[in-house]
Structures are given as C-alpha cells and as structure tokens.
Amino acid sequence: MGWRVVTVRVPRYQELARVLTARIRAGDYPVGCTLPTEQELCAAFGASRHTVRDALRILSDTGLVHRRQGMGSRVIGAGPPPGFVQDVGSLRDLTSYAAGERFAFHRCAMVVPDAAETALLGPAPGGRWLFVEGLRLAPEGHPVAHAQAYIHADFADLEPVLPTLTTPYNERIEASYGRAVDEVIQEIAAAPFPASSAAALGRAPGTLAIRVMRRYLEAGGTPLLIGVNWVPPETFQFAMRIRRADRS
C-alpha cells in the first residue's frame, strides 16, 4: 500500500494558535509588540473568547508571548522552526494532540506484537492488535514524525475506514463503541530509531530519536489504544502548564 495523505480535524483553539504562531514567525507580530486584544481576536477570527484564551495559552506555554492581566499579550520570541510540538494543559489537549494538520497514512494490518514490541508496549492484553503507521506532516508538507498505533482487537473492524479517517482514533472508538478514554499515560524518552521509522524519515537506523508513547486507558485500565511517535530530536518541543494546587 502506498502513502495516502488525509487532512485531520484540528480543534479550533489549536488552529487559531497555529495561525497566530505563523504570523509571529512571519514578522506580522514582531518581538516586542502586543497582540490584538482578546475582543479584537474574537472579531477577526469569528471565535469565542474561550477559544481565543486557549489559543493564547498555547502561545504563552511555548514561549512566544508573555501575558499579563490588563496589559495584553506581548510577543517575546519567534520560537523554533515548525516541527513536532506538543502543548499540554489538560486531558483535552493530550487526547486532541493526535489531531495533526495532515497525516500521510501508510498501512494497517492485524499483527501479533513480537518480543521487541511487547517490551515497548508494556502491560497490555495479549493476542492480536490492529497496527497502523504513517507520517505526521508539518503544514509545509515535510515529515516531522513517524507515527505508529496499536488499536485493541475489539475495534478491528475499523480497519477499512482508517486510511481516510479525519478524527483522532480515540474519538472514533468512543463514537462507534461507546468506550471512552478515562486516563492517558504518556512517556517521553530518548531511544534509537527503529529501522522502519528511520527509513520513513530518512535517518540512519540506530540514530537517536525522541520516542513519545501514550497509552489510552478506559476505566479499569484496559488499553484501548497505544500510540508511539518517533521524532527527530531537533524538531521536538514539549510544553506543560502547571498550576499551584492551592490556587483559587
């Protein structure tokens, strides 16, 4: 099977954050200037105030703007070149993270994980899994990560729709089967590129990668989906917003 490129639905606040990020990097909003007010952004983009605030939070978490109440959002940096960026402030951010602007689907097949895959995936029901792989693409079209997913065999009849699916896998599982993600466990580690990922990204096998792995668990701990992304280290960026527990 060849590569099939599909456009994946992106949450509105992430889409707005990417537009604003692109404008900052293009110099439309140079370092030192103040972004339009929330009200002005709402009017310009036809977005709700909640959407605008979530988008500005992403820009703040990735070091592009500094926000101060009553003083707006001041641009403090243009940020790194476009790559594999994850901004996390909530479970919604993490589960929607699978929604990239474009995904080049390669193949899917029912597999029985081998010893290396079993060691990587960790505690999970044995047997067969629906395996999916492809490339995550930056808006400019270049690949930024080799993506793999192991979908529980209970959902094997999703196989025909996966090549053109435009929603995250966990959302389709919930919509089709009524089984929702209760918890996501994420691990980020440095690891050598496996041969297939290295070939897909034009890297030498065994060179260093950033491995981002997420286990999507339903209540009771059963993994519905396990996703693994292999990312060149120079394109990876991670941001997390942490609040004081006693903050009102």
Side-chain angles (χ1 to χ4, degrees), residues 3-14:
W3 297 88
R4 180 192 296 268
V5 179
V6 296
T7 300
V8 181
R9 178 172 58 82
V10 179
R12 183 73 174 96
Y13 71 100
Q14 291 187 354

Side-chain angles (χ1 to χ4, degrees), residues 160-171:
V161 306
L162 292 179
T164 56
L165 190 63
T166 60
T167 55
Y169 297 154
N170 61 286
E171 290 185 9

Side-chain angles (χ1 to χ4, degrees), residues 105 132 163:
F105 179 95
V132 187

Side-chain angles (χ1 to χ4, degrees), residues 58-229:
I58 289 177
L59 267 61
S60 176
D61 288 347
T62 53
L64 297 181
V65 304
H66 177 64
R67 303 174 66 194
R68 291 188 63 182
Q69 188 170 1
M71 299 183 65
S73 300
R74 183 169 60 88
V75 179
I76 59 174
F84 190 89
V85 180
Q86 179 172 10
D87 311 292
V88 178
S90 67
L91 182 59
R92 179 181 65 162
D93 289 342
L94 190 59
T95 56
S96 66
Y97 165 61
E101 287 192 350
R102 289 201 297 166
F103 180 70
F105 179 95
H106 183 205
R107 70 181 182 99
C108 62
M110 293 301 300
V111 302
V112 176
D114 60 22
E117 290 172 312
T118 299
L120 176 65
L121 299 175
R128 288 151 49 90
W129 291 78
L130 180 58
F131 175 73
V132 187
E133 67 176 339
L135 289 173
R136 298 200 184 283
L137 305 178
E140 298 80 9
H142 63 270
V144 295
H146 185 234
Q148 301 171 325
Y150 295 81
I151 300 173
H152 196 285
D154 285 355
F155 318 121
D157 56 2
L158 289 178
E159 182 174 355
V161 306
L162 292 179
T164 56
L165 190 63
T166 60
T167 55
Y169 297 154
N170 61 286
E171 290 185 9
R172 182 56 183 262
I173 289 170
E174 180 170 2
S176 298
Y177 301 91
R179 294 172 64 176
V181 173
D182 181 69
E183 180 182 21
V184 181
I185 299 175
Q186 175 170 268
E187 300 174 8
I188 302 175
F193 272 114
S196 60
S197 299
L201 293 170
R203 301 289 172 128
T207 56
L208 194 64
I210 301 297
R211 185 186 67 212
V212 183
M213 182 163 57
R214 289 179 299 278
R215 297 181 177 90
Y216 296 78
L217 310 178
E218 66 180 337
T222 299
L224 305 178
L225 165 69
I226 300 172
V228 185
N229 287 277

